[in-house]
Amino acid sequence: MKELLVHYASYNCWANQQIIAVLLKLDEAQTETEVGGSFPSLKKTVLHLWFAESIWHQRLLLTEKPVDPSTGFTGSFEAACRAWQQQSQALQEWVKHATPVRLEHTLAYNTSGSGVVKLPVHDALMHVFNHSTYHRGQLVNMIRMLGVSTKIPPLDYRHYKPRK
């Protein structure tokens, strides 16, 4: 289990880095144009990804009251992308250093709608990596909807995983 989670954490970091490289080539107007999706703009989607990875990381650190780092964020789109990438790297480091016992631990956390939820750490990690994959796909679609001719690299796991 540990090896698989380390691979997915590394893949998540790599895929985020790939899409961020494309996003940083866009101008501010493009990043704020609302084109639809779970979060209507590139910027809002990046802020959500930063928020989600941060909240889950804080839960893994057993932070009693996680804080949304994107609330009130007034920085540039580039700064948001960099913060998201740093958050992904912190999550990757946590997974690399987690013991097998820690990965089997059950997290208990509060949600606004469901109350207390319990989830094994390994399931929480798979959730956050899959969640990020879902929204990276939305980012790719938004970039295409904006008619940007920037080449978008393939983000599938098979493009990350080194061939033997």
Side-chain angles (χ1 to χ4, degrees), residues 46-66:
V46 165
L47 289 172
H48 173 71
L49 281 158
W50 175 26
F51 152 77
E53 289 191 14
S54 175
I55 291 298
W56 281 104
H57 185 234
Q58 290 175 66
R59 287 174 178 157
L60 293 169
L61 296 173
L62 305 177
T63 302
E64 191 172 329
K65 294 185 186 222

Side-chain angles (χ1 to χ4, degrees), residues 51-87:
F51 152 77
E53 289 191 14
S54 175
I55 291 298
W56 281 104
H57 185 234
Q58 290 175 66
R59 287 174 178 157
L60 293 169
L61 296 173
L62 305 177
T63 302
E64 191 172 329
K65 294 185 186 222
V67 177
D68 177 355
S70 68
T71 299
F73 178 77
T74 58
S76 68
F77 181 70
E78 179 180 354
C81 286
R82 300 284 181 219
W84 170 34
Q85 185 64 45
Q86 289 171 354
Q87 182 58 65

